[in-house]
Amino acid sequence: MKYRHEWKHEISYGDIMILRQRLSTVAKQDSHTIDGKYGIRSLYFDNSSDKVLREKTDGVNLREKFRIRFYNGDTSFIRLEKKSKANGLCLKESAACTRELAQAIVDGEYSLMMQRGEPLMEELYSKMMSQGLRPKVIVDYTREPFVFAPGNVRVTLDYNLRLGLQCTGFLRDDCVTVPPGGAPAVLEVKWDEYLPDIIRDVVQLRNCRTSAFSKYAVCRIYG
């Protein structure tokens, strides 16, 4: 496991068209996309005191969050992810999660999490019991990902952000989601030891600054 650097920029939909054209000349599209993009649905966890949200908004240096995620509506491939942040660097750990187990979690049948023998799942279960973490909000968005081998760079354009507060509908096609007011598109740049100059130059936009944007925090606007 390796911590990675991460930049986030709030951008406009006009910026997406500019960046899409620039990136297509120097980077490759992720091989898992459909027509250059895919849909992401995530279920985030927090407790009744909003521990995860408060640590994010307060800028706590050492923090973590858990989410369950799948792509393009395909619930045959679901991942449990833990994203940690320390000293401005990010680390993501993941483990497979079956559809049945994901449904059990949103239904409150947490004991099934201990039957997999999966350390990350057991860690989430432990923190659900000790910290009161529970499914909190559904976050949907569209992602256009680009990869660049030197530096293990990954650049993503994220937009069409939507939220759902009825977490039991996480796996359902008819789950109702709504856009949070005024949510921007987001440029994310992630890399290992170094960021090649060609990528640094391509992603430069006028009046665009690095921010601590959080899709989870934005989607908590309604509760």
Side-chain angles (χ1 to χ4, degrees), residues 77-185:
F77 182 80
I78 304 175
R79 308 293 291 178
L80 165 65
E81 296 180 349
K82 174 188 174 184
K83 189 171 183 181
S84 306
K85 197 148 193 178
N87 302 317
L89 299 177
C90 296
L91 173 67
K92 186 171 73 173
E93 304 168 65
S94 65
C97 177
T98 65
R99 190 185 197 284
E100 292 72 22
L101 182 54
Q103 188 62 55
I105 291 172
V106 298
D107 290 340
E109 300 173 10
Y110 307 130
S111 61
L112 298 180
M113 300 169 66
M114 296 298 291
Q115 298 178 12
R116 291 288 307 279
E118 169 54 57
L120 190 61
M121 190 68 69
E122 292 175 357
E123 181 183 352
L124 174 58
Y125 175 82
S126 174
K127 290 177 178 176
M128 290 176 77
M129 297 302 103
S130 63
Q131 300 177 9
L133 295 180
R134 294 293 185 269
K136 198 70 172 183
V137 68
I138 295 169
V139 177
D140 286 345
Y141 58 94
T142 301
R143 166 164 285 179
E144 295 186 28
F146 297 83
V147 294
F148 190 77
N152 190 24
V153 179
R154 184 173 180 83
V155 182
T156 57
L157 309 175
D158 298 340
Y159 52 92
N160 290 342
L161 185 63
R162 300 179 67 87
L163 67 95
L165 295 176
Q166 299 299 319
C167 295
T168 53
F170 176 59
L171 299 174
R172 291 168 44 185
D173 293 335
D174 61 351
C175 176
V176 176
T177 61
V178 297

Side-chain angles (χ1 to χ4, degrees), residues 197-211:
D197 288 342
I198 189 170
I199 298 296
R200 189 186 299 270
D201 292 341
V202 162
V203 300
Q204 291 299 315
L205 293 168
R206 183 178 297 180
N207 300 322
C208 181
R209 298 181 179 179
T210 303
S211 69

